[in-house]
Amino acid sequence: MEAAAVIGDATGRCRVHMTVSVDHLAQFEAAVAAARQNHEDRLGIRFEVSLSVQAASSDTVAADLDNTPLRDAQGRLVFRPGGHGALLENLNNLEGDVVFVKNIDNVAPESLNGPTVQWKRVLAGCLVTVQQEVRRYMKALHRGDGEAAVVAALAFLHDTCGEALPPVLADGSLTARRDFAVEHLDRPIRVCGMVPNQGEPGGGPFWVRNAGGERRRQIVETAQVDKSAREQMDMLAAATHFNPVDLVCGLRNWRDEPFDLRRFADPDSVFVSKKSYAGRPVKALEHPGLWNGGMARWLSLFVEVPPETFNPVKTVNDLLGSQHRPDAG
């Protein structure tokens, strides 16, 4: 199985966390127990599986298409889950070190795990390499190393991490430039696999300029795009890559302390999506997506991975694809 091959440690332990619906928590607990019994001896691994649910406090009020707050038959306001961005709190509570994030709808049969496992390891290797560089620069900057260390740290931020350096920084004092480097290096890191765009519905990697004028690498969902803006729609149509939700995240700082991930989200990047309630279309306000606005201020690297690593099941018809039918060959 994919997790056993990628994150099983030297002691034979494999730690997995899943977020599930509170309505189905008991069923998931039973399924996990059965899966452990079926696979641990076969794989020579010991699974440590934890489950969490999206906090009810993160639910948002639904609305009719005319933006009137939605009410049920008893006149009570209807609340809906606030989207996967609400799971930032769950991720934060893990206080993990290196965490692989993946959507449950991108799962291939075990026979096709080869490329997925290989590229998961590549992404993890990229993360560790960047982490080592960040920690080296942070130690040098905190030691008070001179001009050469500051110049090297800023070059790394720009060339590797894609961080825009404001023009005024070039004329700034050594202290100002060091402070800028420290502030922008001391962040969570994510390495995101991106597949060539083959027309799947969903988001992709873009350069985004925020309200403060900073240009950063971001994953943009279709729901975040202004459909009335021709320029935005043209950029979306011309996108070369697609986000399969294949991330490796470094959640600890250079002192090995867990980041408070909430500090690095963009609270203004909420968006409205179309959902349904009791057979009628409604609007739902969603928190900044977990890998969208939820990670807006992270250090972000995008790595192209082959299409073979992406085996989505968005609708029941996707199960008819050869990659999901063991007898299709």
Side-chain angles (χ1 to χ4, degrees), residues 43-321:
L43 297 170
I45 205 84
R46 185 176 74 260
F47 288 103
E48 293 183 3
V49 182
S50 57
L51 305 175
S52 67
V53 300
Q54 187 169 312
S57 59
S58 67
D59 291 353
T60 60
V61 177
D64 279 317
L65 298 185
D66 63 359
N67 296 326
T68 302
L70 186 66
R71 295 183 180 273
D72 62 17
Q74 287 73 44
R76 297 171 299 192
L77 289 170
V78 173
F79 287 81
R80 288 188 50 86
H84 53 70
L87 299 176
L88 182 67
E89 195 72 31
N90 302 57
L91 183 61
N92 199 47
N93 290 339
L94 289 178
E95 295 189 344
D97 183 358
V98 174
V99 176
F100 292 75
V101 177
K102 182 170 183 174
N103 254 0
I104 194 63
D105 61 12
N106 178 19
V107 177
E110 194 170 345
S111 59
L112 299 181
N113 271 350
T116 299
V117 169
Q118 176 187 351
W119 282 93
K120 277 281 196 299
R121 291 171 176 170
V122 169
L123 297 179
C126 290
L127 173 69
V128 171
T129 299
V130 172
Q131 280 184 319
Q132 290 173 340
E133 287 293 285
V134 167
R135 288 169 180 174
R136 181 167 67 87
Y137 287 124
M138 288 294 289
K139 288 177 182 178
L141 294 170
H142 277 270
R143 279 196 308 264
D145 290 5
E147 178 79 15
V150 173
V151 169
L154 291 174
F156 174 78
L157 268 172
H158 180 271
D159 298 342
T160 299
C161 303
E163 295 289 304
L165 306 181
V168 297
L169 197 64
D171 299 322
S173 67
L174 180 63
T175 299
R177 286 181 288 138
R178 178 184 286 114
D179 290 347
F180 181 93
V182 167
E183 178 189 351
H184 286 75
L185 282 171
D186 197 18
R187 300 175 183 227
I189 305 169
R190 58 174 175 168
V191 178
C192 313
M194 296 291 169
V195 296
N197 190 351
Q198 297 179 331
E200 293 287 344
F206 289 89
W207 289 104
V208 175
R209 197 176 301 279
N210 63 21
E214 291 182 314
R215 190 192 69 167
R216 307 182 73 90
R217 295 168 180 161
Q218 302 289 358
I219 299 173
V220 178
E221 297 295 322
T222 307
Q224 295 176 274
V225 176
D226 183 354
K227 306 297 191 300
S228 65
R230 177 65 180 272
E231 183 181 13
Q232 290 192 27
M233 293 302 293
D234 287 346
M235 286 190 287
L236 183 66
T240 60
H241 288 77
F242 172 83
N243 168 40
V245 189
D246 193 1
L247 294 78
V248 187
C249 304
L251 307 186
R252 290 179 176 263
N253 65 19
W254 67 284
R255 293 190 176 100
D256 200 33
E257 302 162 334
F259 284 108
D260 180 356
L261 303 181
R262 297 167 297 186
R263 291 179 47 224
F264 304 94
D266 176 10
D268 294 329
S269 59
V270 297
F271 58 94
V272 176
S273 61
K274 297 291 181 65
K275 302 292 183 180
S276 64
Y277 173 76
R280 58 195 272 203
V282 299
K283 291 182 178 180
L285 178 66
E286 299 203 12
H287 294 275
L290 180 59
W291 42 84
N292 313 118
M295 299 181 178
R297 298 189 177 102
W298 292 35
L299 294 177
S300 301
L301 289 88
F302 298 152
V303 177
E304 182 178 308
V305 297
E308 292 78 16
T309 64
F310 183 47
N311 300 280
V313 179
K314 299 292 186 182
T315 71
V316 68
N317 289 335
D318 291 332
L319 292 172
L320 299 176

